[in-house]
Amino acid sequence: MVAKEKIDLLRKKIDEADAIVVGGASGMSAASGFVFYYQDDEVFRKLAGGLARKYGIHNMFDAFYDRRLTRGEHWAVVLRTIKYIYDCHTGDTYTDLAELLEGKDYYIVTTNQDAQFYRVFPANRITRIQGDWRYWQCSQPCHDNIYDNHTEVMWLCDAIQQDALPDKLIPRCPHCGRPMAPWVRSREFLQGTFYHREMKRYMNFLQRNANRKTLFLELGVGMMTPMFIKEPFMNMVYQWPNAFYATLNPQHALVPKEIAKKSLAISDDIAIILKQLLSKSTAGMKEFNVKEAFNPARVY
Ligand SMILES: [Zn+2]
C-alpha cells in the first residue's frame, strides 16, 4: 500500500493537468502478470516447449537471444510468443490506466512491443518507439514497409514440428526473398515512414503542450533503454515551466535533484498504485516482487 499523501498528490496532479504524457514500459506489463519474459513461469514453459529443457533456458528473453537455437527453433519461440500476444487477456494496469485518463488530453509513448496499450487506447494517441510484435519487416531491410502478421502467425504456429518451424515455411520478403523479421528493435529494426509518422505525432503533442500544465507520468521504465522515455521526460520537466514529473516504478523510481521540487516518486507495485488512485480495493493483490521477477544479471 502506498501512503495516502502520495496517492492524493498524484490524483491532484492528474486532475489539474491540462495534458498528460504517459511513458509506459515493461513494468506496466510485468505488474499485470506478464513476466514470462523474465521468469520461468507457466506461460514461459508453454511457449518454450521442449526447448526450455533442451537448452536449459529459464525465461523468454534468454530464449530470444540464445545463439544455440536453430533458425527453425528461434522462429518457433517467436511465433508462439506473438500468438500469445494476440490471444492473451488485457492487463489490469492497462484498463485501470484508461479509466484514470478518461476525459483527459493525453498521449502515450511506449517501449513495449506487446501491444497491450492498443487494447484500451486509440492508436492515434500512441507512439511505439521499439516496434510491435504484430508486424513483420524485411530483415535486410530492403524496403520501407511493415506487414500485419496475424493470419500468418496463426497458421505458422500450427505448422511447428518438434519445437521448430520447418525451413521452407520461414516467412520471406516479397521483394528480396530474405527472411522477414518481427518489427521490434534489433540491429535491423526498420525506422521508416511508419515509424517517423508516429514519432512526429508524439513530437507535435509535446510542442503543443510545452507551456501548459503538463504531467509526465512514467510507468515502469527500466534501465535498459532510459534514453527513450525516462531521460527525455526528466529533461522536459527541467525545461518546461509548468511541467511535473511522476514516476511510478517498483525498481527505478529515480528523480534527479534538479527537478526534485517538480517531481513525485512512488516506488511500489504499479497495479496497486493504479487501484489506489481509482479508490478501488486492493484486497488480495500480491505485491509485485522485483527481486523475484527480474534476473539481477540482466538489465531490463
Ligand atoms: Zn527484402
Side-chain angles (χ1 to χ4, degrees):
M1 289 285 282
V2 180
K4 188 175 177 302
E5 303 80 69
K6 283 192 171 184
I7 294 293
D8 288 349
L9 175 59
L10 182 52
R11 183 73 237 198
K12 184 166 164 275
K13 291 293 175 188
I14 292 169
D15 291 342
E16 286 175 0
D18 295 322
I20 300 178
V21 187
V22 175
S26 58
M28 269 294 276
S29 288
S32 275
F34 299 114
V35 291
F36 60 95
Y37 302 103
Y38 330 100
Q39 260 186 46
D40 189 347
D41 70 351
E42 202 181 313
V43 177
F44 163 71
R45 286 193 289 275
K46 192 175 134 218
L47 303 181
L51 301 174
R53 177 178 282 194
K54 182 174 176 184
Y55 294 107
I57 42 181
H58 300 288
N59 59 68
M60 202 40 83
F61 262 131
D62 288 350
F64 292 151
Y65 298 120
D66 197 309
R67 310 287 292 186
R68 295 170 299 168
L69 269 67
T70 65
R71 193 156 69 159
E73 288 171 342
H74 179 76
W75 270 97
V77 292
V78 164
L79 287 165
R80 286 178 186 153
T81 303
I82 302 174
K83 183 175 188 301
Y84 178 79
I85 280 164
Y86 278 120
D87 293 345
C88 68
H89 65 284
T90 303
D92 254 20
T93 46
Y94 294 90
T95 48
D96 282 343
L97 181 66
E99 209 177 314
L100 199 61
L101 297 181
E102 216 175 291
K104 302 298 298 187
D105 186 13
Y106 66 86
Y107 197 86
I108 295 163
V109 58
T110 183
T111 45
N112 288 355
Q113 300 154 335
D114 64 4
Q116 283 277 319
F117 278 110
Y118 291 82
R119 305 286 189 93
V120 287
F121 294 101
N124 64 3
R125 287 182 184 243
I126 307 172
T127 286
R128 353 164 217 213
I129 300 180
Q130 312 218 75
D132 182 329
W133 284 107
R134 299 171 303 163
Y135 298 87
W136 299 143
Q137 61 161 85
C138 169
S139 60
Q140 178 62 11
C142 77
H143 68 289
D144 180 13
N145 200 3
I146 58 171
Y147 300 85
D148 182 311
N149 63 23
H150 184 264
T151 312
E152 209 173 10
V153 165
M154 294 300 158
W155 78 261
L156 286 175
C157 263
D158 290 338
I160 292 170
Q161 291 167 12
Q162 287 154 352
D163 295 313
L165 182 70
D167 248 17
K168 63 177 189 304
L169 295 181
I170 289 172
R172 296 271 167 188
C173 171
H175 295 271
C176 72
R178 288 186 182 85
M180 296 296 257
W183 184 58
V184 293
R185 191 166 290 280
S186 66
R187 268 181 310 181
E188 63 262 16
F189 181 53
L190 174 64
Q191 294 185 195
T193 307
F194 192 87
Y195 180 89
H196 288 295
R197 198 185 302 142
E198 285 194 1
M199 285 306 282
K200 188 159 193 310
R201 197 168 60 208
Y202 171 43
M203 293 303 143
N204 288 344
F205 185 86
L206 292 176
Q207 270 163 14
R208 274 204 306 280
N209 290 294
N211 290 306
R212 297 173 81 204
K213 204 178 259 191
T214 300
L215 170 65
F216 285 86
L217 192 57
E218 183 262 294
L219 298 162
V221 176
M223 293 310 282
M224 183 160 69
T225 53
M227 64 289 205
F228 292 131
I229 294 175
K230 207 185 256 293
E231 291 167 1
F233 275 23
M234 290 170 176
N235 277 322
M236 285 184 277
V237 171
Y238 179 66
Q239 289 173 36
W240 294 9
N242 303 308
F244 190 86
Y245 181 57
T247 168
L248 279 54
N249 201 314
Q251 202 178 12
H252 304 291
L254 310 170
V255 171
K257 65 176 188 308
E258 288 82 358
I259 58 166
K261 287 185 178 149
K262 304 166 81 180
S263 300
L264 171 68
I266 306 184
S267 180
D268 262 288
D269 186 318
I270 296 171
I272 291 177
I273 302 169
L274 292 171
K275 294 274 184 227
Q276 284 187 252
L277 282 167
L278 291 164
S279 306
K280 290 183 177 178
S281 167
T282 57
M285 284 177 74
K286 189 175 172 279
E287 197 118 341
F288 178 74
N289 185 334
V290 170
K291 291 202 180 89
E292 203 177 86
F294 299 128
N295 173 358
R298 195 183 270 286
V299 176
Y300 299 104

